[in-house]
Amino acid sequence: MKTQKIGILGGGQLAMLLAQAAIHFPVKISAYDPDANCSARSYVASFTQGNFDDTQKIIEFGKAHDVVIFETESIDIDALKALEADGIRVVSSPETLEWIRDKGKQKEVLRDAGAPIPAFEYVAASEVRNYNGTFPVVQKWRTGGYDGYGVTIHENADSLKNAKAVDSTFEEVIEIEKEISILLARGDAGDIAIYPPIEMVFDFATNMVDYLVAPAKITQIEKEELFAIAKNLAEKLNFIGIYAIECFIDKKGQIYVNEIAPRPHNSGHHTISANLASQYEQQIRIALGLPLGSTEQLMPCVMMNLLAENATGKTKYVGLEDALAIKNVQYTFYSKEQVRPSRKMGHAVIFEKTLEKALQKMNDVRTTLTITSDE
Ligand code: ADP
C-alpha cells in the first residue's frame, strides 16, 4: 500500500484527533484552517492557512492530496465538487453537505428517507413573528445556527415578538426523555459499523453537551430500533464516512431523528480509548478505502467537555496537576492558546464500572480543574 496524502479541511480538535488516528496507517496528513494557531497545527505534516469560503485556495490545497476529509460543515461546496470532478476523493460527499447545512432541507431529506422526525413546517423570515400555529413550538434557523444557538422554544405568541426574523423551521416540541447519538461508519462497499448508542446530557445554560454516557442506558428494543433507523438512513442516503445521527427518545419511548453530522462528532471522543477502533480511525480507514475497524466497546465510560470559564484571553489551567492525579480519568487538551466564555478547551473520559461513581468523579474533575485566562 503506498503512502497516501490526506488533507483535512478544518484544523480544530476534530482534525487534531483525526491526525492522531492516522498514526495507525501509512499516511501523511495536512490541515487547512483560517487560524494559524489551530489545534491540529502541531500534529500535521503540513499546514495551509485559508478561509473556508476561498474556493480557489481549497481547490489548490485539495489537489495536493489523494483524499480530502473535513471536520466542519462550513466548507465551500463548489470547491469540494470541483475536487471530486478532478478525481480527488472527498469524504463525506459534497452533496450531503448541501442538504445538511439547511436544517429545513435536512428535515425533508430525512423524512423522505423514512426517518421518524418531529412534525415541522417552513416559516419564511417575514412570517416568523406572525406565526399562529400550535404552541409551544421550536424555532430553528434554517442556516447559521450551531450548538443550540439558533434554536428557541416559543411558549406562546408573545415570545415571537423577540424572535429572530430569519428563514426558519417551526417544529413540534418533543418531550425528551433522552438524547442519543448513534455513530455509524459506512465504507464504499456498503459495509456498516455502528457504535453502542451514546446518551448526551445537555447543559441548558450553554446548550452544549455537558457529559455523555456510553453505552447509553436504554432498552434492547430502543437500541435495535435506533440501529435500524440509522442503517436505513445510511443505505437510503448512501452515507460514505463516519456519521453522527442525533436522536430523541420521548417520555413514551418514541424515537425521533433530530439531525445528522457527516463527520466525526463531539459525542464520539471517548471511542479513542473506550472502543477498539475510534470514530476518527474509521474516518481514516474509509478515506483510504480500507475495511472498517471494530466498534466494540471495552469499558463503559462518561465523557465530559472541559469548557473555559467566563473569561477571555490567554489560556491558564488552574489545578491541572491535582486533576491529573484523579485516577481512571483520561484528559485531552485542544492546545487552544486563547479562552473565550464556554469555549471547548478539552475533554475528559472517566472509566468507572458504575455510572454513579463516574458521575461523582466527574464532579471531582469539575471542582479541581478550572480553565480560565491569566488576565
Ligand atoms: P444544534 O445543531 O444547534 O445543536 P439542535 O437541533 O441539536 O441544534 O437543537 C439543540 C437542542 O435543542 C437539542 O439538543 C434539544 O435539547 C433541543 N431541541 C431541538 N429540537 C427539539 C424539539 N423538536 N423538541 C424539543 N427539544 C428540541
Side-chain angles (χ1 to χ4, degrees):
M1 183 182 155
K2 85 171 181 48
T3 300
Q4 291 205 50
K5 291 186 192 153
I6 301 182
I8 309 174
L9 291 164
Q13 59 264 25
L14 298 173
M16 178 185 99
L17 296 166
L18 282 164
Q20 181 197 29
I23 64 171
H24 300 297
F25 308 95
V27 283
K28 255 200 150 66
I29 299 278
S30 327
Y32 175 105
D33 197 90
D35 178 4
N37 294 316
C38 62
S39 299
R41 175 95 199 232
S42 338
Y43 303 97
V44 290
S46 70
F47 174 76
T48 303
Q49 188 171 14
N51 291 329
F52 294 142
D53 60 359
D54 189 336
T55 315
Q56 278 321 311
K57 203 153 193 185
I58 294 172
I59 293 176
E60 213 175 289
F61 171 80
K63 278 189 172 172
H65 299 88
D66 301 295
V67 194
V68 165
I69 58 180
F70 50 84
E71 63 138 26
T72 158
E73 281 131 43
S74 50
I75 311 289
D76 180 72
I77 295 175
D78 290 340
L80 295 176
K81 284 187 172 170
L83 284 170
E84 228 178 25
D86 219 45
I88 311 288
R89 184 168 163 79
V90 180
V91 175
S92 303
S93 85
E95 283 73 25
T96 309
L97 269 190
E98 250 167 356
W99 59 261
I100 291 258
R101 254 192 220 173
D102 173 349
K103 284 198 178 203
K105 180 80 190 148
Q106 181 176 158
K107 292 229 168 297
E108 256 183 63
V109 172
L110 295 176
R111 182 194 59 202
D112 294 350
I117 60 165
F120 77 99
E121 60 183 299
Y122 289 127
V123 179
S126 57
E127 290 306 312
V128 162
R129 292 185 181 161
N130 306 322
Y131 174 80
N132 62 0
T134 315
F135 288 96
V137 69
V138 188
Q139 178 192 2
K140 292 188 182 176
W141 305 350
R142 288 184 62 171
T143 54
Y146 61 92
D147 282 346
Y149 177 71
V151 176
T152 316
I153 296 189
H154 297 292
E155 293 296 338
N156 48 48
D158 248 14
S159 103
L160 286 175
K161 286 187 196 131
N162 303 317
K164 186 144 169 145
V166 290
D167 286 345
S168 302
T169 61
F170 275 51
E171 207 176 294
E172 167 194 9
V173 175
I174 304 300
E175 278 196 76
I176 301 173
E177 176 69 24
K178 281 190 159 77
E179 299 202 30
I180 303 286
S181 169
I182 300 293
L183 296 175
L184 176 146
R186 186 165 182 268
D188 291 316
D191 42 331
I192 285 179
I194 308 184
Y195 288 85
I198 300 148
E199 180 179 357
M200 304 181 288
V201 181
F202 282 80
D203 172 356
F204 288 100
T206 61
N207 252 325
M208 278 192 231
V209 171
D210 186 20
Y211 65 91
L212 58 80
V213 180
K217 292 203 182 312
I218 55 174
T219 65
Q220 185 62 23
I221 292 173
E222 287 168 337
K223 182 175 157 181
E224 280 165 20
E225 201 178 325
L226 284 160
F227 280 4
I229 290 168
K231 195 160 171 281
N232 169 64
L233 279 178
E235 283 168 353
K236 288 252 172 68
L237 300 171
N238 197 22
F239 292 172
I240 305 288
I242 183 91
Y243 278 69
I245 300 158
E246 294 183 40
C247 301
F248 304 141
I249 303 181
D250 78 2
K251 306 255 183 246
K252 292 182 193 139
Q254 185 78 36
I255 294 173
Y256 299 88
V257 175
N258 178 36
E259 61 177 6
I260 307 279
R263 54 170 173 78
H265 193 248
N266 185 57
S267 64
H269 291 323
H270 65 288
T271 60
I272 295 173
S273 305
N275 299 72
L276 275 167
S278 73
Q279 62 163 349
Y280 305 100
E281 179 175 337
Q282 304 285 19
Q283 190 71 330
I284 303 289
R285 282 172 175 265
I286 296 165
L288 298 174
L290 296 172
L292 299 176
S294 165
T295 54
E296 188 188 332
Q297 186 156 349
L298 304 173
M299 280 179 286
C301 63
V302 164
M303 189 225 59
M304 65 190 287
N305 281 319
L306 300 172
L307 302 182
E309 287 221 305
N310 192 12
T312 306
K314 200 164 179 311
T315 308
K316 183 178 163 190
Y317 300 91
V318 181
L320 183 57
E321 284 188 22
D322 289 338
L324 287 166
I326 303 173
K327 296 279 182 275
N328 302 349
V329 182
Q330 185 178 55
Y331 296 88
T332 300
F333 292 100
Y334 304 155
S335 317
K336 293 181 179 172
E337 289 175 4
Q338 302 284 319
V339 288
R340 290 193 301 270
S342 297
R343 191 174 190 201
K344 287 181 196 154
M345 303 301 287
H347 65 261
V349 184
I350 300 154
F351 295 97
E352 289 293 347
K353 291 211 171 59
T354 67
L355 180 58
E356 293 64 36
K357 212 162 174 201
L359 293 180
Q360 196 184 339
K361 206 158 250 190
M362 185 174 86
N363 279 333
D364 294 345
V365 171
R366 205 167 262 157
T367 50
T368 309
L369 176 65
T370 308
I371 309 177
T372 182
S373 88
D374 66 357
E375 279 147 36

mmCIF file of all heavy atoms in Angstrom, residues 263-301:
data_model
loop_
_atom_site.group_PDB
_atom_site.id
_atom_site.type_symbol
_atom_site.label_atom_id
_atom_site.label_comp_id
_atom_site.label_asym_id
_atom_site.label_seq_id
_atom_site.Cartn_x
_atom_site.Cartn_y
_atom_site.Cartn_z
ATOM 1 N N ARG A 263 -19.546 13.652 9.713
ATOM 2 C CA ARG A 263 -18.140 13.825 10.121
ATOM 3 C C ARG A 263 -17.988 13.281 11.535
ATOM 4 O O ARG A 263 -18.987 12.991 12.192
ATOM 5 C CB ARG A 263 -17.790 15.317 10.097
ATOM 6 C CG ARG A 263 -18.785 16.107 10.937
ATOM 7 C CD ARG A 263 -18.410 17.537 11.170
ATOM 8 N NE ARG A 263 -19.467 18.263 11.833
ATOM 9 C CZ ARG A 263 -19.761 18.216 13.115
ATOM 10 N NH1 ARG A 263 -19.059 17.415 13.921
ATOM 11 N NH2 ARG A 263 -20.741 18.906 13.632
ATOM 12 N N PRO A 264 -16.721 13.155 12.028
ATOM 13 C CA PRO A 264 -16.563 12.789 13.433
ATOM 14 C C PRO A 264 -17.290 13.818 14.305
ATOM 15 O O PRO A 264 -17.435 14.973 13.911
ATOM 16 C CB PRO A 264 -15.046 12.877 13.658
ATOM 17 C CG PRO A 264 -14.434 12.858 12.318
ATOM 18 C CD PRO A 264 -15.428 13.432 11.370
ATOM 19 N N HIS A 265 -17.741 13.369 15.470
ATOM 20 C CA HIS A 265 -18.654 14.202 16.259
ATOM 21 C C HIS A 265 -18.167 14.292 17.700
ATOM 22 O O HIS A 265 -17.522 13.365 18.207
ATOM 23 C CB HIS A 265 -20.035 13.530 16.214
ATOM 24 C CG HIS A 265 -21.159 14.371 16.685
ATOM 25 N ND1 HIS A 265 -21.845 14.086 17.843
ATOM 26 C CD2 HIS A 265 -21.733 15.478 16.155
ATOM 27 C CE1 HIS A 265 -22.811 14.984 18.001
ATOM 28 N NE2 HIS A 265 -22.766 15.839 16.990
ATOM 29 N N ASN A 266 -18.516 15.391 18.333
ATOM 30 C CA ASN A 266 -18.169 15.610 19.741
ATOM 31 C C ASN A 266 -18.642 14.453 20.643
ATOM 32 O O ASN A 266 -18.028 14.184 21.674
ATOM 33 C CB ASN A 266 -18.820 16.944 20.173
ATOM 34 C CG ASN A 266 -18.441 17.359 21.583
ATOM 35 O OD1 ASN A 266 -17.261 17.494 21.896
ATOM 36 N ND2 ASN A 266 -19.434 17.531 22.439
ATOM 37 N N SER A 267 -19.689 13.772 20.230
ATOM 38 C CA SER A 267 -20.213 12.683 21.072
ATOM 39 C C SER A 267 -19.392 11.397 20.948
ATOM 40 O O SER A 267 -19.713 10.413 21.590
ATOM 41 C CB SER A 267 -21.670 12.388 20.705
ATOM 42 O OG SER A 267 -21.744 11.904 19.381
ATOM 43 N N GLY A 268 -18.299 11.436 20.161
ATOM 44 C CA GLY A 268 -17.530 10.205 19.964
ATOM 45 C C GLY A 268 -16.086 10.277 20.425
ATOM 46 O O GLY A 268 -15.278 9.411 20.090
ATOM 47 N N HIS A 269 -15.762 11.294 21.229
ATOM 48 C CA HIS A 269 -14.363 11.404 21.696
ATOM 49 C C HIS A 269 -13.925 10.161 22.471
ATOM 50 O O HIS A 269 -12.793 9.713 22.366
ATOM 51 C CB HIS A 269 -14.190 12.608 22.623
ATOM 52 C CG HIS A 269 -14.306 13.929 21.948
ATOM 53 N ND1 HIS A 269 -13.828 14.166 20.688
ATOM 54 C CD2 HIS A 269 -14.827 15.113 22.375
ATOM 55 C CE1 HIS A 269 -14.058 15.423 20.359
ATOM 56 N NE2 HIS A 269 -14.673 16.016 21.364
ATOM 57 N N HIS A 270 -14.846 9.629 23.279
ATOM 58 C CA HIS A 270 -14.488 8.502 24.145
ATOM 59 C C HIS A 270 -14.074 7.263 23.350
ATOM 60 O O HIS A 270 -13.404 6.391 23.871
ATOM 61 C CB HIS A 270 -15.678 8.139 25.044
ATOM 62 C CG HIS A 270 -16.844 7.640 24.257
ATOM 63 N ND1 HIS A 270 -17.616 8.472 23.469
ATOM 64 C CD2 HIS A 270 -17.326 6.391 24.063
ATOM 65 C CE1 HIS A 270 -18.529 7.746 22.855
ATOM 66 N NE2 HIS A 270 -18.377 6.487 23.202
ATOM 67 N N THR A 271 -14.486 7.185 22.076
ATOM 68 C CA THR A 271 -14.195 5.978 21.287
ATOM 69 C C THR A 271 -12.689 5.777 21.106
ATOM 70 O O THR A 271 -12.254 4.677 20.769
ATOM 71 C CB THR A 271 -14.892 6.013 19.901
ATOM 72 O OG1 THR A 271 -14.421 7.158 19.172
ATOM 73 C CG2 THR A 271 -16.406 6.081 20.044
ATOM 74 N N ILE A 272 -11.902 6.824 21.351
ATOM 75 C CA ILE A 272 -10.439 6.693 21.208
ATOM 76 C C ILE A 272 -9.910 5.639 22.188
ATOM 77 O O ILE A 272 -9.111 4.789 21.815
ATOM 78 C CB ILE A 272 -9.744 8.052 21.460
ATOM 79 C CG1 ILE A 272 -10.144 9.059 20.373
ATOM 80 C CG2 ILE A 272 -8.225 7.894 21.510
ATOM 81 C CD1 ILE A 272 -9.645 10.462 20.617
ATOM 82 N N SER A 273 -10.377 5.703 23.429
ATOM 83 C CA SER A 273 -9.874 4.740 24.412
ATOM 84 C C SER A 273 -10.879 3.659 24.757
ATOM 85 O O SER A 273 -10.502 2.577 25.185
ATOM 86 C CB SER A 273 -9.498 5.462 25.706
ATOM 87 O OG SER A 273 -8.602 6.478 25.425
ATOM 88 N N ALA A 274 -12.159 3.961 24.611
ATOM 89 C CA ALA A 274 -13.175 3.010 25.077
ATOM 90 C C ALA A 274 -13.485 1.932 24.044
ATOM 91 O O ALA A 274 -13.963 0.862 24.405
ATOM 92 C CB ALA A 274 -14.457 3.746 25.455
ATOM 93 N N ASN A 275 -13.238 2.209 22.762
ATOM 94 C CA ASN A 275 -13.614 1.255 21.712
ATOM 95 C C ASN A 275 -12.370 0.790 20.952
ATOM 96 O O ASN A 275 -11.364 1.497 20.922
ATOM 97 C CB ASN A 275 -14.606 1.906 20.752
ATOM 98 C CG ASN A 275 -15.871 2.323 21.470
ATOM 99 O OD1 ASN A 275 -15.852 3.284 22.248
ATOM 100 N ND2 ASN A 275 -16.951 1.614 21.266
ATOM 101 N N LEU A 276 -12.469 -0.358 20.331
ATOM 102 C CA LEU A 276 -11.292 -0.905 19.639
ATOM 103 C C LEU A 276 -10.812 0.028 18.530
ATOM 104 O O LEU A 276 -9.640 0.341 18.441
ATOM 105 C CB LEU A 276 -11.621 -2.292 19.093
ATOM 106 C CG LEU A 276 -11.440 -3.410 20.121
ATOM 107 C CD1 LEU A 276 -12.070 -4.702 19.637
ATOM 108 C CD2 LEU A 276 -9.970 -3.636 20.425
ATOM 109 N N ALA A 277 -11.726 0.475 17.684
ATOM 110 C CA ALA A 277 -11.347 1.467 16.666
ATOM 111 C C ALA A 277 -12.167 2.723 16.949
ATOM 112 O O ALA A 277 -13.370 2.644 17.178
ATOM 113 C CB ALA A 277 -11.645 0.946 15.270
ATOM 114 N N SER A 278 -11.517 3.869 16.945
ATOM 115 C CA SER A 278 -12.236 5.115 17.268
ATOM 116 C C SER A 278 -13.006 5.619 16.048
ATOM 117 O O SER A 278 -12.769 5.175 14.918
ATOM 118 C CB SER A 278 -11.251 6.188 17.709
ATOM 119 O OG SER A 278 -10.532 6.659 16.588
ATOM 120 N N GLN A 279 -13.895 6.568 16.283
ATOM 121 C CA GLN A 279 -14.608 7.189 15.161
ATOM 122 C C GLN A 279 -13.617 7.861 14.204
ATOM 123 O O GLN A 279 -13.842 7.912 12.999
ATOM 124 C CB GLN A 279 -15.633 8.214 15.665
ATOM 125 C CG GLN A 279 -15.043 9.396 16.423
ATOM 126 C CD GLN A 279 -16.012 10.571 16.553
ATOM 127 O OE1 GLN A 279 -17.060 10.616 15.922
ATOM 128 N NE2 GLN A 279 -15.673 11.542 17.385
ATOM 129 N N TYR A 280 -12.518 8.357 14.743
ATOM 130 C CA TYR A 280 -11.519 9.040 13.906
ATOM 131 C C TYR A 280 -10.802 8.006 13.029
ATOM 132 O O TYR A 280 -10.553 8.244 11.842
ATOM 133 C CB TYR A 280 -10.521 9.788 14.794
ATOM 134 C CG TYR A 280 -11.215 10.748 15.734
ATOM 135 C CD1 TYR A 280 -11.449 10.423 17.070
ATOM 136 C CD2 TYR A 280 -11.703 11.969 15.264
ATOM 137 C CE1 TYR A 280 -12.118 11.276 17.916
ATOM 138 C CE2 TYR A 280 -12.382 12.830 16.108
ATOM 139 C CZ TYR A 280 -12.590 12.482 17.425
ATOM 140 O OH TYR A 280 -13.276 13.333 18.259
ATOM 141 N N GLU A 281 -10.460 6.873 13.645
ATOM 142 C CA GLU A 281 -9.803 5.806 12.880
ATOM 143 C C GLU A 281 -10.722 5.337 11.743
ATOM 144 O O GLU A 281 -10.264 5.086 10.626
ATOM 145 C CB GLU A 281 -9.448 4.629 13.805
ATOM 146 C CG GLU A 281 -8.800 3.516 13.021
ATOM 147 C CD GLU A 281 -8.289 2.350 13.866
ATOM 148 O OE1 GLU A 281 -8.027 2.522 15.072
ATOM 149 O OE2 GLU A 281 -8.147 1.257 13.279
ATOM 150 N N GLN A 282 -12.010 5.225 12.018
ATOM 151 C CA GLN A 282 -12.946 4.770 10.955
ATOM 152 C C GLN A 282 -12.910 5.744 9.778
ATOM 153 O O GLN A 282 -12.912 5.324 8.619
ATOM 154 C CB GLN A 282 -14.391 4.693 11.477
ATOM 155 C CG GLN A 282 -14.592 3.824 12.678
ATOM 156 C CD GLN A 282 -14.569 2.315 12.408
ATOM 157 O OE1 GLN A 282 -14.071 1.877 11.381
ATOM 158 N NE2 GLN A 282 -15.079 1.546 13.348
ATOM 159 N N GLN A 283 -12.861 7.039 10.096
ATOM 160 C CA GLN A 283 -12.876 8.024 9.005
ATOM 161 C C GLN A 283 -11.616 7.902 8.144
ATOM 162 O O GLN A 283 -11.677 8.004 6.922
ATOM 163 C CB GLN A 283 -13.023 9.450 9.585
ATOM 164 C CG GLN A 283 -13.279 10.538 8.560
ATOM 165 C CD GLN A 283 -14.683 10.467 7.961
ATOM 166 O OE1 GLN A 283 -15.296 9.402 7.844
ATOM 167 N NE2 GLN A 283 -15.206 11.617 7.572
ATOM 168 N N ILE A 284 -10.486 7.663 8.794
ATOM 169 C CA ILE A 284 -9.233 7.497 8.035
ATOM 170 C C ILE A 284 -9.309 6.198 7.210
ATOM 171 O O ILE A 284 -8.937 6.165 6.041
ATOM 172 C CB ILE A 284 -8.001 7.441 8.985
ATOM 173 C CG1 ILE A 284 -7.927 8.704 9.859
ATOM 174 C CG2 ILE A 284 -6.713 7.232 8.187
ATOM 175 C CD1 ILE A 284 -7.541 9.975 9.161
ATOM 176 N N ARG A 285 -9.814 5.130 7.819
ATOM 177 C CA ARG A 285 -9.965 3.871 7.087
ATOM 178 C C ARG A 285 -10.845 4.070 5.846
ATOM 179 O O ARG A 285 -10.512 3.600 4.755
ATOM 180 C CB ARG A 285 -10.609 2.796 7.983
ATOM 181 C CG ARG A 285 -9.644 2.167 8.963
ATOM 182 C CD ARG A 285 -10.395 1.272 9.922
ATOM 183 N NE ARG A 285 -9.493 0.562 10.797
ATOM 184 C CZ ARG A 285 -9.046 -0.688 10.570
ATOM 185 N NH1 ARG A 285 -9.452 -1.364 9.537
ATOM 186 N NH2 ARG A 285 -8.205 -1.260 11.395
ATOM 187 N N ILE A 286 -11.965 4.754 6.035
ATOM 188 C CA ILE A 286 -12.890 4.944 4.915
ATOM 189 C C ILE A 286 -12.227 5.823 3.848
ATOM 190 O O ILE A 286 -12.307 5.542 2.651
ATOM 191 C CB ILE A 286 -14.231 5.538 5.405
ATOM 192 C CG1 ILE A 286 -14.923 4.543 6.343
ATOM 193 C CG2 ILE A 286 -15.132 5.898 4.220
ATOM 194 C CD1 ILE A 286 -16.051 5.118 7.173
ATOM 195 N N ALA A 287 -11.526 6.865 4.303
ATOM 196 C CA ALA A 287 -10.835 7.751 3.354
ATOM 197 C C ALA A 287 -9.871 6.948 2.484
ATOM 198 O O ALA A 287 -9.723 7.211 1.292
ATOM 199 C CB ALA A 287 -10.085 8.849 4.115
ATOM 200 N N LEU A 288 -9.241 5.934 3.084
ATOM 201 C CA LEU A 288 -8.238 5.134 2.364
ATOM 202 C C LEU A 288 -8.843 3.926 1.662
ATOM 203 O O LEU A 288 -8.129 3.137 1.057
ATOM 204 C CB LEU A 288 -7.154 4.662 3.344
ATOM 205 C CG LEU A 288 -6.348 5.771 4.040
ATOM 206 C CD1 LEU A 288 -5.426 5.176 5.091
ATOM 207 C CD2 LEU A 288 -5.550 6.581 3.024
ATOM 208 N N GLY A 289 -10.152 3.743 1.792
ATOM 209 C CA GLY A 289 -10.817 2.601 1.159
ATOM 210 C C GLY A 289 -10.502 1.282 1.859
ATOM 211 O O GLY A 289 -10.560 0.210 1.249
ATOM 212 N N LEU A 290 -10.162 1.332 3.140
ATOM 213 C CA LEU A 290 -9.813 0.126 3.904
ATOM 214 C C LEU A 290 -11.046 -0.454 4.590
ATOM 215 O O LEU A 290 -12.053 0.238 4.749
ATOM 216 C CB LEU A 290 -8.769 0.489 4.980
ATOM 217 C CG LEU A 290 -7.415 0.969 4.454
ATOM 218 C CD1 LEU A 290 -6.556 1.483 5.598
ATOM 219 C CD2 LEU A 290 -6.713 -0.167 3.721
ATOM 220 N N PRO A 291 -10.956 -1.725 5.042
ATOM 221 C CA PRO A 291 -12.099 -2.285 5.797
ATOM 222 C C PRO A 291 -12.315 -1.495 7.087
ATOM 223 O O PRO A 291 -11.371 -0.912 7.624
ATOM 224 C CB PRO A 291 -11.630 -3.713 6.133
ATOM 225 C CG PRO A 291 -10.415 -3.961 5.330
ATOM 226 C CD PRO A 291 -9.839 -2.661 4.909
ATOM 227 N N LEU A 292 -13.551 -1.516 7.589
ATOM 228 C CA LEU A 292 -13.859 -0.803 8.831
ATOM 229 C C LEU A 292 -13.241 -1.524 10.023
ATOM 230 O O LEU A 292 -13.033 -2.736 9.981
ATOM 231 C CB LEU A 292 -15.376 -0.735 9.023
ATOM 232 C CG LEU A 292 -16.150 -0.003 7.930
ATOM 233 C CD1 LEU A 292 -17.647 -0.089 8.201
ATOM 234 C CD2 LEU A 292 -15.714 1.461 7.849
ATOM 235 N N GLY A 293 -12.968 -0.758 11.090
ATOM 236 C CA GLY A 293 -12.461 -1.355 12.325
ATOM 237 C C GLY A 293 -13.620 -1.793 13.213
ATOM 238 O O GLY A 293 -14.794 -1.535 12.910
ATOM 239 N N SER A 294 -13.280 -2.439 14.322
ATOM 240 C CA SER A 294 -14.318 -2.912 15.235
ATOM 241 C C SER A 294 -14.799 -1.781 16.144
ATOM 242 O O SER A 294 -14.007 -1.016 16.689
ATOM 243 C CB SER A 294 -13.761 -4.042 16.101
ATOM 244 O OG SER A 294 -14.620 -4.256 17.195
ATOM 245 N N THR A 295 -16.123 -1.718 16.316
ATOM 246 C CA THR A 295 -16.701 -0.678 17.180
ATOM 247 C C THR A 295 -16.927 -1.196 18.599
ATOM 248 O O THR A 295 -17.519 -0.505 19.424
ATOM 249 C CB THR A 295 -18.061 -0.217 16.612
ATOM 250 O OG1 THR A 295 -18.870 -1.379 16.446
ATOM 251 C CG2 THR A 295 -17.907 0.491 15.297
ATOM 252 N N GLU A 296 -16.446 -2.397 18.869
ATOM 253 C CA GLU A 296 -16.702 -2.992 20.188
ATOM 254 C C GLU A 296 -16.196 -2.082 21.311
ATOM 255 O O GLU A 296 -15.090 -1.531 21.234
ATOM 256 C CB GLU A 296 -15.991 -4.353 20.270
ATOM 257 C CG GLU A 296 -16.360 -5.113 21.528
ATOM 258 C CD GLU A 296 -15.520 -6.371 21.727
ATOM 259 O OE1 GLU A 296 -15.063 -6.940 20.712
ATOM 260 O OE2 GLU A 296 -15.326 -6.754 22.875
ATOM 261 N N GLN A 297 -17.031 -1.934 22.342
ATOM 262 C CA GLN A 297 -16.637 -1.091 23.472
ATOM 263 C C GLN A 297 -16.037 -1.953 24.573
ATOM 264 O O GLN A 297 -16.611 -2.958 24.994
ATOM 265 C CB GLN A 297 -17.852 -0.315 23.995
ATOM 266 C CG GLN A 297 -17.454 0.684 25.066
ATOM 267 C CD GLN A 297 -18.408 1.842 25.219
ATOM 268 O OE1 GLN A 297 -19.286 2.046 24.394
ATOM 269 N NE2 GLN A 297 -18.224 2.634 26.256
ATOM 270 N N LEU A 298 -14.856 -1.551 25.041
ATOM 271 C CA LEU A 298 -14.122 -2.356 26.017
ATOM 272 C C LEU A 298 -14.531 -2.025 27.443
ATOM 273 O O LEU A 298 -14.512 -2.880 28.317
ATOM 274 C CB LEU A 298 -12.618 -2.119 25.849
ATOM 275 C CG LEU A 298 -12.081 -2.380 24.443
ATOM 276 C CD1 LEU A 298 -10.638 -1.953 24.321
ATOM 277 C CD2 LEU A 298 -12.233 -3.855 24.087
ATOM 278 N N MET A 299 -14.881 -0.755 27.679
ATOM 279 C CA MET A 299 -15.218 -0.320 29.043
ATOM 280 C C MET A 299 -16.314 0.728 28.985
ATOM 281 O O MET A 299 -16.287 1.590 28.095
ATOM 282 C CB MET A 299 -13.994 0.354 29.670
ATOM 283 C CG MET A 299 -12.969 -0.591 30.206
ATOM 284 S SD MET A 299 -11.585 0.358 30.877
ATOM 285 C CE MET A 299 -10.784 0.903 29.382
ATOM 286 N N PRO A 300 -17.249 0.718 29.945
ATOM 287 C CA PRO A 300 -18.227 1.798 29.975
ATOM 288 C C PRO A 300 -17.535 3.084 30.433
ATOM 289 O O PRO A 300 -16.534 3.019 31.154
ATOM 290 C CB PRO A 300 -19.251 1.329 31.020
ATOM 291 C CG PRO A 300 -18.522 0.367 31.884
ATOM 292 C CD PRO A 300 -17.440 -0.247 31.044
ATOM 293 N N CYS A 301 -18.036 4.209 30.027
ATOM 294 C CA CYS A 301 -17.383 5.465 30.426
ATOM 295 C C CYS A 301 -18.346 6.631 30.370
ATOM 296 O O CYS A 301 -19.452 6.532 29.839
ATOM 297 C CB CYS A 301 -16.184 5.744 29.531
ATOM 298 S SG CYS A 301 -16.631 5.998 27.809
#
